[in-house]
Amino acid sequence: MLNRVAGLSIGAGLVGSALNESLYNVEPGHRAVMFDRFRGIMDEVSEEGTHFKIPFIQFPKIMDVRDIPRVISSNTGTKDLQMVNISLRVLSRPDIAHLPEIYKKLGADFNDRILPSIGNEILKNVVAQYNAEQLLTEREKVSKEICEDLKSRAGEFNILLDDVSITHLTYGPEFTKAIEGKQVAQQDAERAKFVVLKSEQEMKAKVIIAEGESEAAELISNALISAGDGLIAVRRIDAARDIAETLAKSRNVTYLPSGGGGGSNMLLKVD
């Protein structure tokens, strides 16, 4: 009886072990390609879930098919021979339909093998087509060209890029000093331009004032000439009235009427 129980236990253990070796799981966000001892990497791709395999003959290779972020940096030269440090942030994933081919040629670490190489190649090729200043003023255009070229190049290795963006862009100290000097020169030029415009406006204002005064004097002169002696007499009377008012306020001045019949002359006696 004991021998029979022991035999059944051993049999159940062997069955359980064989069953366990015949199953494998594929976690979410992953896929599996199968390596067969006799046929090599098979063309089928296993989806998420539990699958069967032939024990000791077939071995599943689990691969991550989610987007993986990576930063690619390069120190390269521009069209005008300025050195620039540029970094890209890339989200990449394998093309699921070509996973067996990717595993055969590149292995499970395909990102580490391909992206740094082609990323530096694309960055150097694109940056070399622009001047250092254009990388700032035309950054969107440069980023778009890098994205298109990098996607095309990665597609040759069955790698899909969901996002490519420039995250870091710096220049050498010489170019930075040149940019600062240029900005200072532009500010000085704008300041000098403002001073010149201000002087021109002030000169124009003085000319306008002088012309106005000249025209006013001419109008008064013409009015005096056209009015004749009557206007001159009125001006004399106004002047005499002003003088009389001024002298009347003085304590040491006494007015005496003239003895003549003209009536317009006065004898002034000062005490």
Side-chain angles (χ1 to χ4, degrees), residues 150-247:
L150 192 56
K151 285 183 176 181
S152 175
R153 192 78 172 87
E156 298 176 4
F157 299 92
N158 300 309
I159 298 176
L160 305 178
L161 303 183
D162 292 329
D163 182 67
V164 179
S165 58
I166 298 176
T167 58
H168 186 68
L169 182 63
T170 57
Y171 297 92
E174 295 81 5
F175 182 75
T176 302
K177 291 180 180 179
I179 290 294
E180 292 176 352
K182 183 177 179 181
Q183 291 177 345
V184 172
Q186 288 178 345
Q187 292 174 356
D188 292 340
E190 291 295 330
R191 189 178 297 109
K193 183 179 178 181
F194 172 76
V195 172
V196 171
L197 291 175
K198 182 179 179 182
S199 300
E200 291 179 352
Q201 294 298 324
E202 290 177 349
M203 186 178 298
K204 289 180 180 179
K206 290 180 180 179
V207 171
I208 292 172
I209 293 173
E211 291 178 350
E213 292 177 350
S214 176
E215 291 179 2
E218 184 178 357
L219 291 174
I220 294 173
S221 177
N222 293 335
L224 291 174
I225 294 172
S226 61
D229 296 338
L231 181 59
I232 294 174
V234 172
R235 291 293 178 91
R236 286 179 180 176
I237 293 172
D238 291 338
R241 185 184 297 109
D242 293 338
I243 293 172
E245 291 177 355
T246 302
L247 293 177

Side-chain angles (χ1 to χ4, degrees), residues 116-128:
S117 176
I118 64 175
N120 277 279
E121 174 189 351
I122 297 301
L123 284 175
K124 292 181 182 296
N125 289 340
V126 174
V127 170

Side-chain angles (χ1 to χ4, degrees), residues 17-160:
S17 177
L19 183 61
N20 183 61
E21 288 296 326
S22 301
L23 299 175
Y24 67 94
N25 294 322
V26 180
E27 300 295 332
H30 295 74
R31 297 291 187 274
V33 295
M34 187 64 68
F35 171 73
D36 189 284
R37 288 183 180 274
F38 302 104
R39 293 176 290 176
I41 296 295
M42 302 176 64
D43 294 333
E44 293 81 9
V45 177
S46 299
E47 301 286 338
E48 302 169 356
T50 301
H51 305 272
F52 290 96
K53 65 184 180 67
I54 301 175
F56 311 110
I57 295 178
Q58 293 180 338
F59 302 90
K61 305 297 180 181
I62 309 298
M63 299 180 68
D64 193 343
V65 296
R66 296 170 295 184
D67 280 322
I68 299 175
R70 171 178 289 275
V71 175
I72 303 173
S73 300
S74 178
N75 184 17
T76 184
T78 61
K79 188 177 181 180
D80 53 353
L81 304 181
Q82 296 290 338
M83 297 305 296
V84 58
N85 294 314
I86 186 170
S87 298
L88 294 178
R89 182 178 182 274
V90 179
L91 292 178
S92 62
R93 58 185 175 86
D95 187 350
I96 295 177
H98 295 85
L99 275 182
E101 182 180 354
I102 293 174
Y103 191 85
K104 285 180 184 179
K105 294 181 179 180
L106 306 175
D109 57 344
F110 56 90
N111 270 330
D112 296 330
R113 292 174 178 266
I114 298 301
L115 288 182
S117 176
I118 64 175
N120 277 279
E121 174 189 351
I122 297 301
L123 284 175
K124 292 181 182 296
N125 289 340
V126 174
V127 170
Q129 301 175 21
Y130 294 89
N131 293 329
E133 189 173 353
Q134 289 178 307
L135 294 179
L136 292 175
T137 58
E138 302 180 17
R139 180 165 180 166
E140 184 177 353
K141 178 181 177 182
V142 175
S143 179
K144 182 178 180 181
E145 186 172 347
I146 291 174
C147 180
E148 291 176 352
D149 291 352
L150 192 56
K151 285 183 176 181
S152 175
R153 192 78 172 87
E156 298 176 4
F157 299 92
N158 300 309
I159 298 176
L160 305 178

